[in-house]
Amino acid sequence: MAMDDASMVGLMGRVTGTVGPGLVGEVMVRVRGGAEHFLAYPAAPKDRIERGTVVMVVEYLAPRTVYVSAAYEN
């Protein structure tokens, strides 16, 4: 079953590898009845999102890349 942009955008995940400028981060997103890892970049290019932060997917590039922003303010 293939994912499309609309089904990924808005999903919540957790950072498992720091996301930030010059970094290819990693997030775990609950999708397709389980949890999967995706390569991740910050939605705002200068943001740095640390491990453990809950994030929201704002853009999806098939097959395994997402752009994310922090779901909650600190």
Side-chain angles (χ1 to χ4, degrees):
M1 176 181 199
M3 296 298 296
D4 62 16
D5 291 355
S7 60
M8 284 293 295
V9 172
L11 293 180
M12 305 292 267
R14 186 170 303 273
V15 175
T16 55
T18 302
V19 176
L23 301 173
V24 177
E26 185 179 67
V27 297
M28 170 114 25
V29 178
R30 292 202 171 275
V31 63
R32 293 185 276 262
E36 297 181 20
H37 285 274
F38 291 84
L39 299 177
Y41 296 93
K46 294 185 180 183
D47 282 356
R48 182 176 175 94
I49 308 170
E50 300 296 333
R51 286 182 63 184
T53 303
V54 175
V55 293
M56 181 182 303
V57 175
V58 297
E59 187 176 350
Y60 169 66
L61 300 174
R64 310 278 325 151
T65 302
V66 293
Y67 285 78
V68 297
S69 62
Y72 308 105
E73 293 292 323
N74 290 337

